[in-house]
Amino acid sequence: MAVQPPERELETLDLYINVGPQHPATHGVFRMVLTVDGEVVEDCDPVIGYMHRGNEKLPENCDYRQIIGYHDRTDYLAQFNTEWTYCLAVEKLMGLEVPERAEYIRVILGELNRIASHLMFMGAFGTDVGFFGTSFMYTFRERETIQDFFEAVTGERMMYNYFRPGGVAWDVPDDFEEHARYVLDRVRTAIDDIDGIMTENEVFLARCRGLSPVTPEQAINWGFSGPMLRATGVKHDLRRAEPYSIYDRFDFEIPVGTQGDVYDRYLVRLEEMRQSIRIVDQALRQMPKNGPIMASGLKRTIRVPPGEVYARTESPRGEYGVYIVSKGGDKPWRHKVRAASFCNLSALRNMVVGNYVADAIIILGSIDIVLCEVDR
Amino acid sequence: MIGNNPWLDGILRLLVVAVAVPLSVIVLNYLERKVIGRVQNRLGPMRVGPYGTLQSVADTIKLLTKEDVRPSTADQWSFELAPYVVVVPTIVALVTVPIMPDLFIRNLGLGLFFIVAVSTVPIVGFVMAGWGSDNRYALLGAMRSAAQLISYEVPLILAVVAVAMVAHTADGGRGTLNLTEIVDGQDKVPYIFWQSLAFFIFTVAGLAELYRHPFDIPVAESEVVGGPFVEYSGMRWAMFQLGEYVSLVLISLLGALVFLGGWNWPLVNELAERNAVAGTALQAVLMLGKTSFFILFFFLMRAAMPRLRVDQLMAFSWQVLLPLSFYQIIVNGLVVVYGWPDVVLGVLSGLGLLAGSALTYRAVRKPTMVRRPRPVAARQGSEVKV
């Protein structure tokens, strides 16, 4: 009886690659442990926590006005939107009425902040896809004008600390409207530039279309929000779904995608910037020229009645929520943040596995994470 | 020949190249940063010297004086030899490239063959660098560069071979590998008009050979952080840069000589008949201009294009470029065998180019197949693998 020789296969090993915490494509200190078989990702292990600073616990020892600064530092690309959410929560708990003019200032700054954040996304995403810095330079030129505008209003370029429960800290400069119009004009050209260099680029299309498509059901199950959710075709935007502040007064569209792939996420963000320009334009026209910017009757130290509240807004990355439990007094008893990019990031493994290493980078980029918000 | 001694002549010519190559790299590095800077709405280097002209010199000095770091786990021999394996063949390939009718080191009868053969050697250097660094990014990059260079070498070679097949020789025949003869055959019409398809293939494959966007996959900054070079610093890294720019010059020169008529087109002979000095001047200007055209094109592609994925890159090479170059070779073979005029060649090549572009355009524009993520099993435990 002839003995068959045992079948010999070439022995192969999976390779573990640490992408991050220091890597040009991880947008901060995020770490992906990729198990790759050649170029294909077999498994992905996201590791977070490098940026944890206790931004949820620390505010429990601060009084209500001191907390605003901590919210600047959660999502450092959408500071106004985070401050706004927190102020909404406190106002809800106290039953404060925000003056008309302050609401308009908030809307204008918040929407411009959304544009600035999306511009940052476009630049970083372009670099992930492989532009040699061109997308970065194009977007940052106009992001700079937005930052100059914010600096003129708040005196800060990054941690604005400008919104207060009940209104805004101080009145805007005299040339607020002209400056804002100038910024809008510049931003329009920036969006057109980005549109021109990226949207129809054949290589860009080849890379992004059909990559990691997510169905609406999956998106809802995974807790997606913001552009990640809308790219799948779910028309859910908190500015329309439960209009906070004065968003019911503006006329704007909610862009949605069809495939839920990386390309749709990009397109949704591109169109959102255009819609934000429309909102700012309308707000500038409707804004009262004079009037109070702060609710009346507030003491030096805010004391909040006992109760609990959850306020949420549509930040550039999705639903940013603040949960506060107050037992009376000048400090919250419990303070919790629902970070949009944390929930969006949680599906990373599901989206990445089975794709190429190069695609993993793009998928991560398309989530538009801010690690300070993820780790808090 | 300079002087009467062939040895003296050879050494002098070698010296000219040995000095010119690093100088041109310094200039090209500065120009690239300026050009890309202009595209990106910035000025580029401005601080060192007038208009930043000395920036590359300063960078070179910095690189030369930097500590030569070798990771403790690296394989010493392959790590330290890799830069030489990359640089030396690219410079050696310049030996047979004629820059002007009388400006070359040695004009070989098989010049084109020599260049093509020698310029494939750097692949070994990249793999050595990636393997020797003991770094996983470097290893990934090395595998990518080996795959990419091997698959783009074939269409590149076939493209220049296509021209060599139909090149007019001095005795009225067709087919030569001598670069000077190829240029001399283009005094009326450069081969780009008769071989537009081959020109297209050459340019695209050249981009891939040089790791230029959109084919910079092996050295992708945002994926493999510089690929095979990730562990290199100082002098050895500078040598890789040197190799990159020298091969950029080499491919550009080759393109100018083989497709654009080199120093010989247009109007050179007419001018040289009236005034020899003016003719030589025009030749120099033409050569410089045509080479710069290629170099500028490579620079601008870098500023304007994102990066393809590795499987798309392979598919483009094997499914588009290779069949097209075979088509070109077959057409050229028919033309040579049956002695058809050049016009037939031009028309057939142009048709091939049109068909190829149309097919590529359609492939990119059509809604791509949607790749659903495959279901992922829940993981056992939550330990982090490192």
Side-chain angles (χ1 to χ4, degrees), chain B residues 62-92:
Chain B
K62 185 209 82 174
L63 283 173
L64 294 187
T65 52
K66 223 174 159 182
E67 188 191 350
D68 181 25
V69 184
R70 177 166 59 83
S72 57
T73 53
D75 183 291
Q76 184 179 357
W77 281 102
S78 67
F79 183 83
E80 291 188 350
L81 279 181
Y84 298 95
V85 180
V86 172
V87 167
V88 172
T90 41
I91 297 184
V92 166

Side-chain angles (χ1 to χ4, degrees), chain A residues 132-322:
Chain A
F132 184 71
T134 310
S135 61
F136 239 116
M137 292 299 160
Y138 275 34
T139 54
F140 265 51
R141 188 186 44 179
E142 259 61 59
R143 189 171 177 272
E144 205 60 24
T145 63
I146 300 182
Q147 296 235 288
D148 288 344
F149 176 64
F150 289 162
E151 193 183 0
V153 174
T154 67
E156 262 285 358
R157 285 178 65 81
M158 192 148 178
M159 303 304 173
Y160 305 124
N161 202 357
Y162 179 62
F163 292 1
R164 297 280 184 275
V168 292
W170 52 80
D171 209 342
V172 292
D174 293 337
D175 65 343
F176 182 75
E177 193 177 335
E178 297 90 79
H179 199 161
R181 293 246 174 248
Y182 167 73
V183 170
L184 283 191
D185 284 345
R186 294 290 299 272
V187 167
R188 274 195 197 100
T189 60
I191 297 173
D192 289 346
D193 283 354
I194 275 295
D195 199 1
I197 195 173
M198 282 163 85
T199 310
E200 293 284 304
N201 188 314
E202 274 76 9
V203 180
F204 188 78
L205 285 174
R207 283 303 297 280
C208 296
R209 264 200 314 195
L211 180 60
S212 97
V214 175
T215 61
E217 295 79 29
Q218 279 174 327
I220 292 168
N221 285 343
W222 291 339
F224 280 6
S225 56
M228 293 285 287
L229 177 65
R230 289 193 283 278
T232 65
V234 181
K235 206 166 185 172
H236 177 76
D237 188 321
L238 288 175
R239 292 174 294 177
R240 273 272 184 273
E242 46 176 62
Y244 52 94
S245 187
I246 48 170
Y247 272 111
D248 45 359
R249 299 183 197 175
F250 302 119
D251 172 34
F252 64 97
E253 309 284 329
I254 303 170
V256 289
T258 50
Q259 302 282 343
D261 56 1
V262 170
Y263 190 63
D264 276 351
R265 291 170 208 160
Y266 160 80
L267 283 183
V268 164
R269 289 193 175 97
L270 191 72
E271 187 55 33
E272 265 188 30
M273 291 202 283
R274 297 215 164 96
Q275 298 302 327
S276 288
I277 289 181
R278 278 180 69 191
I279 296 175
V280 176
D281 189 46
Q282 293 169 44
L284 281 173
R285 264 188 270 126
Q286 297 173 13
M287 188 171 133
K289 297 282 173 245
N290 289 304
I293 49 138
M294 196 69 189
S296 55
L298 279 175
K299 303 233 171 56
R300 276 183 70 89
T301 309
I302 299 179
R303 290 185 182 279
V304 173
E308 61 181 280
V309 67
Y310 178 70
R312 53 182 187 167
T313 60
E314 186 72 30
S315 99
R317 262 155 287 284
E319 178 184 329
Y320 187 86
V322 175

Side-chain angles (χ1 to χ4, degrees), chain B residues 100-116:
Chain B
M100 292 279 283
D102 197 36
L103 188 60
F104 47 77
I105 299 176
R106 281 293 179 265
N107 188 20
L108 302 184
L110 290 175
L112 204 52
F113 176 75
F114 178 78
I115 293 172
V116 161

Side-chain angles (χ1 to χ4, degrees), chain A residues 65-134:
Chain A
R65 282 204 184 101
Q66 287 175 324
I67 298 175
I68 300 165
Y70 285 107
H71 281 275
D72 282 333
R73 283 157 182 79
T74 53
D75 187 345
Y76 58 81
L77 291 179
Q79 304 92 331
F80 282 130
N81 299 78
T82 54
E83 289 177 20
W84 196 355
T85 321
Y86 167 73
C87 292
L88 273 181
V90 177
E91 283 153 12
K92 239 177 169 177
L93 209 51
M94 296 176 69
L96 277 180
E97 193 68 31
V98 182
E100 187 96 326
R101 190 170 152 82
E103 290 279 29
Y104 278 105
I105 294 174
R106 283 181 177 186
V107 167
I108 292 166
L109 294 181
E111 290 303 321
L112 281 177
N113 211 167
R114 184 185 314 277
I115 297 173
S117 170
H118 283 345
L119 281 179
M120 174 80 200
F121 163 80
M122 298 294 163
F125 183 63
T127 311
D128 286 344
V129 182
F131 280 107
F132 184 71
T134 310

Side-chain angles (χ1 to χ4, degrees), chain A residues 16 18-19 23 25 33 39 128-130 132-134 137-138 141 200-202 206-207 209 213 349 359, chain B residues 39-41 136-137 140 144 213 222-223 302-303 306-307 309 312 364-366 370-371 373 377 379 385:
Chain A
Y16 298 121
N18 255 317
V19 183
H23 185 280
V33 185
E39 284 277 341
D128 286 344
V129 182
F132 184 71
T134 310
M137 292 299 160
Y138 275 34
R141 188 186 44 179
E200 293 284 304
N201 188 314
E202 274 76 9
R207 283 303 297 280
R209 264 200 314 195
R349 183 163 173 262
D359 288 339
Chain B
V39 174
Q40 296 179 349
N41 262 309
R136 285 157 192 192
Y137 291 124
L140 261 187
R144 289 173 170 195
H213 289 64
S222 63
E223 292 158 26
R302 186 170 197 182
R307 181 185 309 122
R309 202 173 52 223
Q312 294 166 337
V364 175
R365 289 285 159 165
K366 77 159 184 252
V370 170
R371 283 176 297 149
R379 205 188 8 249
K385 282 165 283 176

Side-chain angles (χ1 to χ4, degrees), chain B residues 24 39 54 61 71 86 91 106-107 120 131 139 161 173 177 193 250 258 262 264 281 298 314 382:
Chain B
S24 70
V39 174
L54 297 178
I61 293 171
V86 172
I91 297 184
R106 281 293 179 265
N107 188 20
T120 50
W131 183 256
L139 187 59
V161 162
L177 284 167
F193 291 117
L250 182 69
V258 173
N264 222 351
F298 291 141
M314 295 295 161
S382 60

